[in-house]
Amino acid sequence: MAVTLVLRALGLGDVLTAVPALRALRGARPHDRLVLAAPAPMAPLVPLLVPRPAAVELLPTPGLAALPSSPALPALPPIDLAVNLHGRGPQSIADLSATRPRRMITHRHPDHPRFEGPEWRDDLHEVHRWCALLDFYGIPADPTDLELPSPSVPSPAPGAVVIHPGAKSAARRWPPERFAAVARALADDLSDTGRPVLVTGGAGERGLAADVAVAAGLGQDTVFAGHDLAELAALVAGAALVVCGDTGVGHLATAFGTPSVLLFGPTPPERWGPPAGRTRHVVLWAGTTGDPHATNPDAGLLRLTVPAVLDAARTLLAGGEPCRNARKSETVSSSASSAPATSD
């Protein structure tokens, strides 16, 4: 059986933005073993990426330079097609080249002149980027094909409101005291409904989640941090609302159709957020851009106010569609997107 090897050794949001491309590859090569080189924590999500009975296999790959030395790689048959959904190169191209594929799909890079792929474009939405790459090679892909089926495990808190204050870079972290103010207000709103407000975080964000919960006047039992991706995905899939920044959790909300309020900055939402026109997801953006790797919260992100977030959250919880203002409003923008485009 031929093997198609796809490199996307990045985070949760990165893997989810590659879903349309993965499904297009499966459709174009239905009889191949489709192998995704991505971090091991993505394992619970992998069965949801491509509709059954087709399947994707995970090759645990924590990042660049890890693929060529992977102990699982020798167990695979010879690679027929290697697909670079990781970045523009050169290292990602070198990693895939080291697997000795018969053919390669990748963007072009001057360090690897034998691969004549398309030029990298900074202005594309991350989902469209990978669909356009496949289209260049004659494989059509539908960039709207982002939805995931419900996880097989039940939600640990059905109907919860999820507040996720973390983000990979400091530039994308809205201040924790503002998240706490939102959590406190929504908990007060829902006090008679029995619907919980939970504060989530990754393994390294337990302290942040606990601080937000304490500042919001919530108990420690409302902190849902450090759980594996299966539990987090189930929580988001069964939630009534997600409030977060430009993070992987926001992409989970998009994938499961969970109503969400997404706070963008410094990256414009046209690059990473949910598709435009989906009324379950409201993007708040100040209309300015900045350094996504800065060590302080982006100035534009700081222009987003607690009342603006609460207005969008309450309207979504009530089943309505929040009013969307002009593109560069200090409060709400109708565009959709997440972090800077990947490169290596």
Side-chain angles (χ1 to χ4, degrees):
M1 179 182 291
V3 173
T4 294
L5 175 64
V6 179
L7 178 62
R8 188 68 167 164
L10 294 161
L12 173 59
D14 303 284
V15 170
L16 291 174
T17 56
V19 164
L22 284 170
R23 291 175 177 173
L25 286 167
R26 168 50 74 212
R29 303 175 66 86
H31 304 297
D32 284 15
R33 287 179 63 181
L34 182 57
V35 179
L36 175 63
M42 300 297 128
L45 205 63
V46 168
L48 307 179
L49 300 181
V50 173
R52 293 183 179 277
V56 179
E57 302 174 37
L58 179 68
L59 181 65
T61 308
L64 287 172
L67 179 61
S69 60
S70 170
L73 190 60
L76 290 176
I79 309 301
D80 184 66
L81 177 65
V83 183
N84 185 3
L85 300 186
H86 188 96
R88 73 179 77 193
Q91 191 170 342
S92 55
I93 298 175
D95 283 4
L96 282 170
S97 296
T99 69
R100 300 180 182 274
R102 190 170 71 87
R103 291 178 293 161
M104 176 97 83
I105 288 178
T106 185
H107 288 87
R108 72 179 66 178
H109 192 280
D111 288 2
H112 299 275
R114 66 191 181 99
F115 300 114
E116 297 181 353
E119 294 284 352
W120 180 275
R121 289 177 52 188
D122 288 327
D123 62 331
L124 288 180
H125 187 286
E126 189 72 359
V127 173
H128 289 267
R129 177 187 314 288
W130 307 116
C131 292
L133 173 64
L134 295 188
D135 185 67
F136 180 89
Y137 287 92
I139 300 174
D142 178 5
T144 67
D145 189 13
L146 290 165
E147 291 81 5
L148 298 184
S150 297
S152 58
V153 299
S155 170
V161 169
V162 172
I163 307 293
H164 186 81
K168 185 175 182 179
S169 69
R172 291 188 278 133
R173 294 183 203 131
W174 204 47
E177 62 271 16
R178 299 193 195 181
F179 274 113
V182 170
R184 183 187 310 114
L186 293 179
D188 289 344
D189 291 349
L190 301 172
S191 61
D192 295 331
T193 69
R195 184 179 294 172
V197 174
L198 301 183
V199 185
T200 59
E205 297 172 332
R206 290 188 180 95
L208 172 62
D211 289 346
V212 170
V214 168
L218 306 176
Q220 286 299 311
D221 59 341
T222 66
V223 176
F224 190 91
H227 294 259
D228 67 21
L229 187 52
E231 293 175 289
L232 178 61
L235 176 67
V236 171
L241 178 70
V242 170
V243 180
C244 67
D246 175 14
T247 69
V249 168
H251 289 283
L252 276 179
T254 298
F256 292 127
T258 301
S260 61
V261 180
L262 307 174
L263 285 62
F264 270 77
T267 303
E270 288 87 353
R271 302 289 175 85
W272 279 79
R278 301 196 183 192
T279 58
R280 289 189 169 197
H281 313 294
V282 177
V283 172
L284 309 185
W285 181 49
T288 61
T289 60
D291 178 5
H293 307 295
T295 56
N296 294 304
D298 176 67
L301 183 63
L302 293 178
R303 288 172 57 191
L304 303 180
T305 65
V306 169
V309 175
L310 281 172
D311 177 66
R314 285 166 170 156
T315 307
L316 284 173
L317 285 171
E321 180 180 351
C323 175
R324 286 162 165 79
N325 297 332
R327 171 68 57 89
K328 293 187 177 180
S329 165
E330 288 190 337
T331 55
V332 183
S333 167
S334 61
S335 56
S337 197
S338 168
T342 54
S343 60
D344 55 65

